[in-house]
Amino acid sequence: MGMGRINACFAAGCCLLFSACQQEMAGQPSYKPLDPSEFFPDGRSARPQIDGTVARGHLRTDYAFYTGRRTRTSSEPARAAALLGAAAAGDWLLALALRSSEDADYVDRFPFAITEEALKRGQERYLIFCVVCHDPLGTGRGKIVERGYTPPPSFHIDRLREAPVGRFFAVITNGYGSMPDYRQQIPPRDRWAVTAYVRALQLSQHFPEKELTPEMRTALQNQERAVQTGEPLP
């Protein structure tokens, strides 16, 4: 028998041998989404998450950082309902008292150091997401307000100048009134950066005039001129 014939027979034998050694994994059952299954007691092939499951990178132990509040309280839903009821009934004294007690739940300090880089980031996010309603100076006269959208309050009224920073963060996160929530569009750290920029806007419009340097006076005049003429801010 020639070598060629031997090699051919050997190759044919190997093919027959390996074809008979198929792994069990190749024949295991598989399911399409929402297919029924008799293996599990509930009859579902798709398994629910185990209680307490947290996606990698989403463990939120810093409650203040992610909510703007000091601690979780069970009175939040009840107080929100009472506030809406008082406003609907026209009882503004009760509504004011409820709002003041709610402000006490919010943090009044930023959860991380606010640097120049953080302020610039906040300005960038503000000019992307907020300026259309609140305008560049935060007076509530943005472009869509000019076209009929519900005007927001100015950031420069006493109530908002005195509001804790946690309230601004919570409103950005959850929305308020006609303002939608931005929890999906703006990450938590950026929401704090926007809040810091809002604080900077408030300070810019209420900075003690006697403490302005010549450079600051010039910059302020340039900004006011840009807002009045519609030119890009310097």
Side-chain angles (χ1 to χ4, degrees), residues 75-89 91 94-95 98-99:
S75 62
E76 291 174 18
R79 182 161 45 197
L83 180 59
L84 290 175
D91 191 344
L94 176 59
L98 289 169
R99 182 184 294 277

Side-chain angles (χ1 to χ4, degrees), residues 1-213:
M1 181 181 294
M3 287 298 297
R5 197 167 189 180
I6 292 174
N7 289 338
C9 291
F10 179 75
C14 288
C15 290
L16 292 173
L17 176 64
F18 290 122
S19 65
C21 296
Q22 189 177 24
Q23 294 182 354
E24 290 294 330
M25 291 179 62
Q28 68 178 343
S30 59
Y31 297 96
K32 294 181 179 179
L34 304 183
D35 273 355
S37 170
E38 297 180 357
F39 182 81
F40 298 103
D42 60 4
R44 296 185 299 172
S45 59
R47 310 313 304 145
Q49 291 182 349
I50 300 173
D51 290 341
T53 300
V54 177
R56 183 186 295 273
H58 288 76
L59 181 61
R60 300 185 170 185
T61 57
D62 190 341
Y63 187 72
F65 177 81
Y66 288 104
T67 67
R69 293 182 179 272
R70 299 177 188 277
T71 57
R72 189 187 305 274
T73 62
S74 59
S75 62
E76 291 174 18
R79 182 161 45 197
L83 180 59
L84 290 175
D91 191 344
W92 300 114
L93 289 178
L94 176 59
L96 182 60
L98 289 169
R99 182 184 294 277
S100 298
S101 65
E102 183 182 17
D103 279 352
D105 286 344
Y106 293 109
V107 297
D108 56 4
R109 293 178 179 273
F110 289 94
F112 55 87
I114 301 302
T115 61
E116 181 178 358
E117 181 182 0
L119 276 178
K120 288 182 178 179
R121 178 70 177 179
Q123 181 185 36
E124 291 173 356
R125 301 302 97 182
Y126 180 91
L127 293 177
I128 291 172
F129 295 104
C130 313
V131 73
V132 292
C133 284
H134 295 279
D135 76 49
L137 291 180
T139 62
R141 296 194 293 266
K143 291 300 181 183
I144 65 172
V145 173
E146 294 177 359
R147 289 160 175 76
Y149 195 77
T150 305
S154 169
F155 292 140
H156 307 292
I157 62 176
D158 291 342
R159 175 173 63 83
L160 293 184
R161 289 177 58 202
E162 297 169 1
V165 293
R167 170 174 281 279
F168 288 97
F169 178 88
V171 170
I172 298 172
T173 303
N174 303 312
Y176 189 87
S178 60
M179 175 179 166
D181 68 84
Y182 285 88
R183 66 171 65 243
Q184 298 299 328
Q185 298 94 323
I186 310 177
R189 192 174 183 87
D190 283 354
R191 282 177 241 153
W192 283 114
V194 171
T195 300
Y197 183 69
V198 169
R199 274 290 190 250
L201 284 178
Q202 292 173 326
L203 179 61
S204 73
Q205 301 305 300
H206 299 275
F207 195 84
E209 185 175 357
K210 62 181 180 180
E211 297 183 19
L212 291 174
T213 64

